[in-house]
Amino acid sequence: MHANGDLRIDLELVFMPAATSALQLFCFPQAGADAAIFKSWERFLSNDVQVTPVTLPGRGVRLDDVPPSDFQRLCDDVFDELRAGPMNRFAFLGSSMGGWIAYELAWRFEQIEQAPEFIIALTSPSPDQPRELPTLEDEARITDDLLTFNPHFKELMQYPELLELLLPTIISDFRMCAAYKPVSGRGISTDILAIAGNQDSVTRPETMQPWAQFTSGQFDLQQIDGEHNMHEAPSRELQYIVNDFVARKTHVTA
């Protein structure tokens, strides 16, 4: 089992050099989830885009690792690992919590004058928005509180053994997100595309508009039909918006 700050061995398993790709797209997950689902996005993106899901501690191939408990520390660790590897043209995509990770990493990379090409924040409220996350402190109510917050947790609860394995990470992520506050003055220049789901019961579209205040670059908010987990089975509309945006930003013909 690895401590929260020891990411090197594990991240080398998923970070692949982008030598033959025009762009490497690093993807970050929602709270309690694994980013591996994003690998399927390669089927509708240009062949010149290499999708790289980032496996955080406590999930996926890193299930035995200690889940992260401090958001800034987690971002520091991922930043150190990323910049230690081969970085050509790259960009970030994050769903919900993953959008905050993308923003924090963009700020860190801009400090060393190696800015990402863009950020896609999917169903992710801007970091300064008030959030009402379940505390998950009452063990007897954890599953009820999760279902109230996001009804899609019902799918996971159909597999009690899997739920038992993932619950420590889910609890840790939610508490970490509840405590996270962006550092005042950390604006970025990276372009941001925010995508909101009209049927999202977790992130309201109006909480995504303030992303515009976090960047001096271009900002666009797209509202489409979709729920909070729209990334798991991307609709044709979502595929088109992402593919068109990536192609335009990288000057690649899809």
Side-chain angles (χ1 to χ4, degrees):
M1 182 174 292
H2 303 289
N4 184 42
D6 183 12
L7 303 183
R8 183 172 303 276
I9 294 176
D10 299 278
L11 292 187
E12 287 178 349
L13 296 175
V14 294
F15 287 174
M16 302 294 291
T20 60
S21 300
L23 179 81
Q24 190 166 22
L25 184 62
F26 292 100
C27 301
F28 304 96
Q30 298 182 356
D34 185 16
I37 188 69
F38 284 108
K39 197 63 179 174
S40 66
W41 282 41
E42 283 187 331
R43 64 183 172 81
F44 65 83
L45 290 172
S46 164
N47 292 333
D48 291 315
V49 177
Q50 179 180 317
V51 177
T52 304
V54 178
T55 302
L56 303 178
R59 66 214 80 201
V61 297
R62 305 199 59 204
L63 185 60
D64 291 336
D65 291 7
V66 177
S69 58
D70 181 272
F71 200 84
Q72 297 291 356
R73 172 69 183 279
L74 171 65
C75 293
D76 285 341
D77 290 340
V78 176
F79 169 68
D80 288 341
E81 277 302 320
L82 282 176
R83 67 172 177 167
M87 299 288 287
N88 296 321
R89 297 183 70 186
F90 66 97
F92 298 136
L93 183 151
S95 178
S96 197
M97 175 187 78
W100 301 343
I101 297 176
Y103 152 72
E104 289 285 348
L105 290 175
W107 182 84
R108 285 160 172 77
F109 273 102
E110 289 192 10
Q111 303 314 297
I112 61 171
E113 299 183 350
Q114 194 178 0
E117 299 287 326
F118 57 81
I119 289 173
I120 297 177
L122 184 64
T123 66
S124 177
S126 67
D128 62 337
Q129 290 298 292
R131 57 196 76 125
E132 297 180 1
L133 299 175
T135 60
L136 306 181
E137 293 178 353
D138 184 349
E139 292 188 7
R141 288 192 49 82
I142 285 179
T143 55
D144 290 338
D145 289 344
L146 285 173
L147 282 173
T148 299
F149 177 74
N150 185 354
H152 287 287
F153 275 108
K154 183 177 181 179
E155 299 172 11
L156 175 61
M157 291 171 187
Q158 295 176 5
Y159 306 93
E161 293 182 358
L162 180 59
L163 175 63
E164 184 178 357
L165 287 173
L166 295 180
L167 205 52
T169 296
I170 294 172
I171 293 172
S172 183
D173 278 5
F174 271 76
R175 291 176 180 173
M176 177 177 66
C177 287
Y180 166 63
K181 297 292 185 295
V183 177
S184 178
R186 282 191 176 179
I188 60 176
S189 61
T190 302
D191 294 345
I192 299 176
L193 169 64
I195 304 176
N198 291 327
Q199 291 78 40
D200 189 344
S201 62
V202 176
T203 300
R204 299 186 306 277
E206 60 267 25
T207 66
M208 297 185 66
Q209 180 62 43
W211 272 111
Q213 308 304 316
F214 282 80
T215 181
S216 60
Q218 297 179 355
F219 171 76
D220 185 28
L221 173 62
Q222 296 279 342
Q223 291 186 220
I224 65 174
D225 288 337
E227 299 182 335
H228 196 64
N229 64 341
M230 66 169 71
H231 65 289
E232 294 181 3
S235 66
R236 289 187 179 274
E237 185 178 18
L238 177 57
Q239 291 180 32
Y240 174 80
I241 290 173
V242 171
N243 204 24
D244 178 67
F245 178 78
V246 172
R248 286 188 287 107
K249 290 299 181 182
T250 57
H251 304 288
V252 173
T253 302

